[in-house]
Amino acid sequence: MSTAIQRFSPRGTEVEIEEGLGLAPRFDADGLVTAVVTDVKDGAVLMVAHMNAEALALTIETGVAHYWSRSRKALWKKGETSGFLQRVSELRIDCDQDAVWIAVEQIGGAACHTGRRSCFYRRVPLGAAPSPALEMTLTEAGLTFDPATVYRNK
Amino acid sequence: MSTAIQRFSPRGTEVEIEEGLGLAPRFDADGLVTAVVTDVKDGAVLMVAHMNAEALALTIETGVAHYWSRSRKALWKKGETSGFLQRVSELRIDCDQDAVWIAVEQIGGAACHTGRRSCFYRRVPLGAAPSPALEMTLTEAGLTFDPATVYRNK
């Protein structure tokens, strides 16, 4: 972890952080940045996850997405169990450097643990009365894999 | 705020949360969900922000993006100062309901306070040695507005 943190530049002034070319991530109180993951094929948002310094460093170094699992409190090489790795096509960081955007090739076609391509398979209707009912989207609602099979005995 | 929270369904079982049609957001310890904002025109990720229950309820109700500003600790109707509102074209929620994805029409063309269309205007080269230098992207590096003018006297 200390090695990973040493990869990054120190946080500088606001101008340096926003306009500079030093990678100086702002990890939150839990040591994490937010990672938005899109499908390089069509730009659909596949998932939102988190990276600690080690996960970010490994993602940059290997070109394969690594995260920090907040539920398991462990480094998480996405696809290690299912085989459905994410090959990173492009990685970007935002203005204040507390979020990254990665465009990935999703091996196996599904990023969501429910078996769907994207975690964002339900739409919230706008202008709705209190407690609107969600709508399944046509494009993302179908299962790409069966979780019961893929995660069996794992 | 209490009214806003009453809009949402109670958190149920894992299956209800992931497969059901009840909107039951999981707000974190600070009362927030993550919001990923993309440009409805081409799918580019414009910014990442956060919504509390009130901001989420207002976004659903009005179709205009509202967030919670963590720095100002206040409800934030995006564009209230600059005039650059975000009209929500579609709002989706993810499997465990702790993140939303909104596709927006960005009035004024720029979502980032630095004057750029997207907050993600710098690329992190992959496979790089420690502390890689960021690269300005060709498409997002130019200013759409001049922050000094837009935010003048505000």
Side-chain angles (χ1 to χ4, degrees):
Chain A
M1 176 71 102
S2 58
T3 324
I5 288 173
Q6 283 165 20
R7 291 182 65 106
F8 305 125
S9 302
R11 296 279 291 178
T13 64
E14 196 176 308
V15 170
E16 285 167 350
I17 290 163
E18 294 183 350
E19 303 296 333
L21 298 180
L23 178 58
R26 182 170 74 190
F27 297 102
D28 70 10
D30 296 320
L32 303 174
V33 293
T34 303
V36 177
V37 186
T38 62
D39 191 325
V40 70
K41 286 202 315 281
D42 64 0
V45 179
L46 298 179
M47 55 184 274
V48 171
H50 298 83
M51 292 182 181
N52 64 357
E54 190 181 4
L56 178 56
L58 282 168
T59 302
I60 294 170
E61 211 167 277
T62 64
V64 172
H66 291 69
Y67 305 103
W68 176 256
S69 167
R70 293 184 300 176
S71 53
R72 287 185 284 115
K73 298 189 196 316
L75 185 72
W76 168 33
K77 182 180 178 182
K78 168 86 179 156
E80 206 161 31
T81 305
S82 64
F84 296 163
L85 299 174
Q86 295 176 331
R87 289 193 209 288
V88 181
S89 172
E90 187 169 316
L91 194 160
R92 293 194 189 187
I93 194 150
D94 76 343
C95 48
D96 58 358
Q97 302 205 25
D98 67 354
V100 298
W101 165 18
I102 58 176
V104 305
E105 178 200 354
Q106 175 63 65
I107 307 301
C112 185
H113 74 287
T114 65
R116 299 177 175 93
R117 177 174 82 129
S118 165
C119 296
F120 293 89
Y121 47 87
R122 287 170 299 182
R123 185 183 298 117
V124 183
L126 298 172
S131 294
L134 304 177
E135 301 165 350
M136 284 286 173
T137 61
L138 287 177
T139 48
E140 304 295 349
L143 296 191
T144 300
F145 69 82
D146 174 8
T149 309
V150 167
Y151 295 115
R152 187 176 46 191
N153 301 326
K154 287 184 181 167
Chain B
M1 175 72 102
S2 58
T3 323
I5 288 172
Q6 283 164 21
R7 290 181 66 105
F8 306 124
S9 303
R11 296 278 293 176
T13 64
E14 195 176 309
V15 170
E16 285 166 352
I17 291 164
E18 294 183 350
E19 303 296 332
L21 299 181
L23 178 58
R26 182 171 73 189
F27 297 102
D28 69 10
D30 297 320
L32 303 174
V33 292
T34 303
V36 177
V37 186
T38 62
D39 191 324
V40 70
K41 285 202 316 285
D42 63 0
V45 179
L46 297 179
M47 55 184 274
V48 171
H50 298 83
M51 293 181 181
N52 64 357
E54 191 181 4
L56 178 57
L58 283 168
T59 302
I60 294 169
E61 211 168 278
T62 64
V64 172
H66 291 70
Y67 305 102
W68 176 258
S69 167
R70 294 185 299 176
S71 52
R72 287 185 282 115
K73 298 188 195 315
L75 186 72
W76 168 34
K77 182 180 178 184
K78 168 84 178 159
E80 207 160 33
T81 304
S82 64
F84 297 163
L85 299 174
Q86 295 176 331
R87 289 194 208 290
V88 181
S89 173
E90 186 169 316
L91 194 159
R92 294 194 188 186
I93 195 150
D94 75 344
C95 46
D96 58 357
Q97 301 206 24
D98 66 354
V100 299
W101 166 20
I102 57 176
V104 305
E105 177 199 355
Q106 174 64 64
I107 308 300
C112 184
H113 75 288
T114 64
R116 299 178 175 94
R117 176 174 83 130
S118 165
C119 296
F120 293 88
Y121 46 87
R122 287 170 298 181
R123 184 183 299 120
V124 183
L126 299 172
S131 295
L134 304 177
E135 300 165 351
M136 285 286 173
T137 61
L138 287 177
T139 49
E140 305 295 349
L143 296 190
T144 300
F145 69 83
D146 174 9
T149 309
V150 168
Y151 296 115
R152 186 177 46 192
N153 301 326
K154 287 182 182 168

